[in-house]
Amino acid sequence: MRALDFKLLWRDWRGGQLNLIISALILAVMVVTAVSLLADRVERGLNEQISSFLAADMAVQGSKPIKSVFVEQAKQDELETADIALFSSMVFASDKNHLAALKVVDEYYPLRGLIQVSAHMNANEIELMERGPTAGEAWVEARLLTLLDIDLGDEVEVGYLKLPVTRIITNEPDRGTGFSMTGARLMLNQGDLAATKLIRPGSRVSWRLLLAGSDGNLENYSSWYAEQEQADADQSTHFRLRTAENSEQQLSEALQRGRSFLLLSGTIGVLFAGLAMALASQRYAQRLTDQVALMKAWGQSARDIRRSQLVRLLILTAVASSIGLAFGWFAHYLLLYAAAGLFDAHLPAPGWRPWLVASATGFVSVIGFALPALWHLPAIAPLRVLRRDLPDSLLSQGRRLAIGVAALLLLAWWYSQSFTIAVLFLSALFALFAICGFVALQLLRFLQGFGSWRGSFVRLGLANLWRRRTQTMIQLIGFSVTLMLLLVTTGMRTSLISEWQAQLPDDAPTHFLLNVSSAELPDVKQLLQQQNVEANQWYPMVRGRLVGLNGEELSEERLKLTDGLAREVNFTQASLLPDENQIVAGEWWGDAPNRKGAEVAKHYFSIEEEVATELGVSVGDVIEFSIGGLPLTAELASIRTVNWENMQANFYIIFSPGALDRFAPNWLSSVRTDFVADQQSLYHQQAPFVSEVVKNFPTALVIELGEIIERIRNVIERVTLGLEMILMLVLACGGLVLFAAIGVSFDERLRESAVLRTLGSSRKVVTGALAVEFAVLGAIAGLIAGAGAELVLYLVQTQVFELQASWHWNLWLLGISVGVVVITVLGLLRSREIITVPPLRSLQQIA
Amino acid sequence: MTDTILRAEHVSKRVQTADHELTILNDVSLQVNLGESLAIIGPSGAGKSTLLGLLAGLDTPTEGAIWMADQEITAMSEEGRAATRANFVGFVFQTFQLLGSLTALENVALPMELAGDQDAREKAQRFLDKVGLSQRVGHYPKQLSGGEQQRVAIARAFACQPRILFADEPTGNLDRATGAKVSDLLFDLNEQSDATLILVTHEQRLADRCDRTVVIDDGRLSLAA
């Protein structure tokens, strides 16, 4: 690396020849940095959260006490361990009692995460504890104090043991994501367990061995566990290894998909940046041709020239990539800002991978897009200094295209970690390009004929578009695809949100009330009435699972084919078909359950369409259920669709009235109150009826929905906003393509304009022709983008959301106006020299 | 070493066109002595520039041999010829061939910088002074007139102190008065430098200022009348 290389590079930069290549490179690296930093940090954050859902890295969970081999193996694999047990039990204080959710912990719990507690009644001054309660004390959820009407420091009876309550638990690391149906938490130390005498043979206890350690050791343990499981039937029946992945598998998969999706959307940016880079490099190469020929005439060898060129490219890539990394770092904060509130936790610092991915993107882009256009330079004949007509052995367009596509494929492969996805993604993208290109060509052809009878500069502008149609097409494809993606996200954001709003009418529920016993139900109803709270239909609810079909056992494999029925689910019974449910097969029973006048004990049920298909059942099939260990047989009477998005209580399976009576169901309803919480308030305010319900019916649970709905709405808005930000960067890459494409024809345009003006055309005509050319280009791009976005939205509306399709004229308008304005402004900006430089100077300059 | 700096023997150049072989130079032999100035004149398309390219080692003949300072450049590889050019040769072109992104000073300094000359900028400054452009060192080619551009090109050619200077129609792109000034400069500097000058031109006036003139017509060389 010589000082002269830096000097040459600096002069090229100063001469403005590298602006586009550098900008494109910076943008490409910036897009990828921002996207991968975001994805990496979110992923780390969620993984951290997931492992703290377990309060460990992994856990063995069993319905029987943990086997000693599990612990021994953990010791052997150098894993930290902690024992916990979870079960429900009544706890007492004076005359009050509550069915509490007990958690018995040892002195090592939790292995991951912290327990948030407070020593104050109003739960302020939160302390973060690395360990649970010691022997002789109990920590409880604030709710329990209210339920038992006691204060901190008072004693609570747990089985045969009395324990003082010393802390209020405000959060525990393995509370889980779902809503627990169980009672208020009481946490006690393992040392106290025996004295409570609560655990007897047959007690329903969930035993857990928490495990934490290095990835390698955890992997060893997992494989040992899997081997054991194969050999030991007892283990597979009663124990299960829970990892972050299988605990929150869906979340993890969504996360993986999310990262791939984000990075692939970044690939579009890289593609456009690459295209801009390739075009700009071609022009750069044209300019370098004379310089290289001169250098060779002066005696520089091809090897020296190649070396110098590679060194300069290397420096350029390193510098531009560094700038791109820095910009990307800032941009990822913008994305995080857009996504603010999506992640509760403070996100951990990113790893090295995003930086590596982004830097590699810079180098691969240069090798794939810039280098091929410059490769021929050292081979230029020195004789060119005398004979400029000598051919310049440029790599063929096909070869350059192939190298570019290979580079893209490599990047997409790396981003998605799947060759198939990369190939499919690029194929889809190129198919999209081909379609856009085809449409654009037809429109151009149509316009060309149209222009023949228009005013002089209009004709000139339209003729230019047609004459330079290769460049026109490149610009059109770049712009129409980017605009289309932007319009799609805009459309999704606006229409999805409005769909949500349409789905949530004024009388949407504000709370779910559940766990209300049959005995309590009339009193609860009365209380709600007194409090002016409107309740929707009350559903009795029991938990159970499917066990047999038409007299044969339903295998676990078959149940696993369904999304919802592989585990215990909630069943209900109803006489009326719930709102927004539609029968698609069979018929709904009337008020009389024995619709065919058959034997009195015959029960029927209705199943949701999707799981019916997954399970392969049809009307008339007889299914055996297990509810709390008791069997229930019922005949499938109808299959129905359910609108899951309506925020009402929805069920996969509904029985005919009376079927569930003997299973002591708890009741569930959604209610609506007009109480509006003050969002500004520091303390979370509850609707007044909530405390009344909790006080009077200690086992009932109230879940506030407003907050959840708001959160979902927020998620959609922020995700699309973030996506739009990425697409704006992609659009900027599209802008560079436009600049680069104009650059390719710049000298030709300069010459033509000079000739025109020498022949007496006014500046107005030249400007007018350029304006027409760019405006038409923008209009076509906008039109194609609008049509494409409309098609995508139509598919999303009808296929994904199953809504009525509607036109989005605003998007067409937006597409066309953005296309016209952006392209005309950028185009004229890039061409200002063509308009402003005196014709004689232009001619001299090109000569 | 003899007085002969450049020697061509039986040099022919033929190129294959679509349907036949075209002879551009036919059996040309030529000898140029050290410090001599030689004009090659002839009508357009006669093969003047082709001969210049071959003599300067920018191209290779179909037949024949060329020696530059006793080294047979026609027997060398392109890399070898490049090294020889670096040691002996300078150029002035009809189209000036200045690099648009470089200032006048940088244009003059570039070949010296490429050759690793530490004093490139000082020398460049000195030569720009010599061609009367000391006030324009920081100007870019597009800010200079045609005559000024060619003066920069001449400064660039002489600053490298070449043993042989090849000039291809150096006044071809200039008006008569400017052309006269530029050719004065070229010959003055040539005298000061003792370089051998080989000049291709179709202007008799310019050829007359050289020590010797050869005429090329239809690929064949003859001495001027």
Side-chain angles (χ1 to χ4, degrees), chain A residues 718-751:
Chain A
R718 289 183 180 282
V719 166
T720 46
L721 189 66
L723 205 59
E724 269 170 44
M725 282 190 176
I726 296 171
L727 286 173
M728 292 300 253
L729 287 178
V730 174
L731 189 68
C733 297
L736 287 183
V737 172
L738 176 83
F739 261 58
I742 297 174
V744 170
S745 58
F746 194 80
D747 290 344
E748 193 186 320
R749 284 168 188 273
L750 201 62
R751 191 180 304 115

Side-chain angles (χ1 to χ4, degrees), chain A residues 392-469:
Chain A
D392 53 11
S393 63
L394 188 68
L395 273 186
S396 75
Q397 227 156 17
R399 213 176 275 188
R400 277 181 289 157
L401 185 70
I403 295 173
V405 171
L408 268 182
L409 188 64
L410 191 74
L411 288 174
W413 183 8
W414 200 23
Y415 296 158
S416 63
Q417 310 263 302
S418 154
F419 190 70
T420 322
I421 291 181
V423 169
L424 284 177
F425 173 77
L426 284 184
S427 309
L429 203 60
F430 283 111
L432 187 64
F433 287 174
I435 296 167
C436 288
F438 178 75
V439 176
L441 195 65
Q442 302 315 313
L443 284 171
L444 275 181
R445 207 187 291 272
F446 168 74
L447 277 173
Q448 186 213 7
F450 193 75
S452 59
W453 53 272
R454 288 274 143 188
S456 63
F457 62 78
V458 176
R459 196 175 62 215
L460 203 59
L462 293 179
N464 277 343
L465 274 178
W466 181 252
R467 204 153 40 87
R468 285 191 267 271
R469 54 188 171 278

